[in-house]
Amino acid sequence: MSLDEAMPAAHARTLDLRLSERMERDIMSAAYAPGERLREQDLAARYGASRPSVREALRTVAQSGFVEIQPWRGAQVIELGHGELLQLTTLMEEAYALCAEQAARKADGDAIGELQQRLSDLETAVANAEDRNEIYRLSFAIGRCIGLASESRHAFRQLVQSGNLILWQHRLLRPGDAQSDAQSLHAYRVLVSAVERRQAEAAAAAAQIGRAHV
């Protein structure tokens, strides 16, 4: 019997959530390839969890869009076609613009201070030509700050879900270069400045320009 099989229901749910988050991180870091089948028994051995916990975690990962669960065939890491990626990008653009607009109206001093710090971290990473994944992570952190500051839970959830999937695709397909980093950094500077100045329309426009690394 694995440890999670002996846990009370509330603790088991927490474990399932942590397990799903770990699976998502592993997919995003290319530990599993697009199209790869995920077998419950193999996952249970890899993560030291019970098969019921793995099954529940896979359902959560499927809700986030990273895997598909097919009857009698189990789970499989999704493969996004070009058209699907464009649709996903459109959804993220809409959510990000809405979040940026609302953040410009609602962000308090703490939220703006965190945005400034995240922007400073990104500036340092770009200046030092740090690892591409670190630049993506810091860029995504700015998007999360914008989403939280907007106080729009629905838009924030949409932003995070679509943003995670697009971030994963960037890591797989679009390594980027110094020029694209500089362009995105400029857009983030404009975005953070617009939020600071309470310029809602300018913030929404800047969010769409800087969406590439959300």
Side-chain angles (χ1 to χ4, degrees):
M1 175 184 292
S2 60
L3 291 176
D4 56 306
E5 289 178 307
M7 288 183 177
H11 292 285
R13 285 195 297 273
T14 301
L15 180 63
D16 294 344
L17 180 59
R18 291 202 304 269
L19 181 57
S20 67
E21 291 172 345
R22 185 174 174 188
M23 286 182 186
E24 288 183 14
R25 288 196 301 270
D26 285 348
I27 291 173
M28 292 181 69
S29 65
Y32 303 106
E36 182 174 345
R37 294 203 173 278
L38 304 177
R39 296 175 175 80
E40 289 181 7
Q41 185 173 353
D42 295 339
L43 295 173
R46 178 186 179 111
Y47 296 112
S50 67
R51 291 186 67 172
S53 283
V54 166
R55 192 174 303 121
E56 187 60 35
L58 282 172
R59 291 192 186 102
T60 301
V61 177
Q63 291 173 355
S64 297
F66 284 99
V67 303
E68 293 178 323
I69 299 178
Q70 301 173 339
W72 313 111
R73 299 187 65 185
Q76 183 177 13
V77 180
I78 65 163
E79 294 182 273
L80 286 176
H82 181 67
E84 292 173 307
L85 186 57
L86 286 177
Q87 291 175 351
L88 190 61
T89 301
T90 299
L91 289 174
M92 190 191 69
E93 287 176 2
E94 294 173 353
Y96 200 18
L98 175 60
C99 285
E101 181 180 350
Q102 292 302 310
R105 294 191 171 104
K106 299 180 178 181
D108 58 19
D110 289 341
I112 290 175
E114 184 172 1
L115 266 177
Q116 292 171 332
Q117 182 58 58
R118 299 291 187 182
L119 177 60
S120 177
D121 292 342
L122 179 60
E123 289 173 333
T124 300
V126 172
N128 294 337
E130 291 191 13
D131 177 77
R132 182 69 46 196
N133 285 335
E134 178 64 7
I135 290 176
Y136 284 151
R137 185 189 70 79
L138 292 171
S139 300
F140 186 67
I142 293 177
R144 287 184 62 90
C145 287
I146 292 290
L148 288 170
S150 74
E151 299 181 6
S152 174
R153 289 180 293 178
H154 176 73
F156 175 69
R157 285 196 299 269
Q158 180 63 60
L159 176 64
V160 170
Q161 181 172 341
S162 57
N164 272 329
L165 289 167
I166 292 172
L167 176 61
W168 172 46
Q169 291 298 300
H170 273 293
R171 288 172 170 171
L172 290 174
L173 305 173
R174 297 178 60 184
D177 53 31
Q179 182 178 359
S180 65
D181 289 342
Q183 291 172 342
S184 293
L185 179 56
H186 173 71
Y188 283 122
R189 286 172 174 154
V190 173
L191 171 57
V192 173
S193 176
V195 172
E196 292 173 349
R197 296 171 182 272
R198 306 295 181 188
Q199 298 172 336
E201 292 184 4
Q208 291 184 312
I209 293 172
R211 64 187 177 269
H213 288 313
V214 174

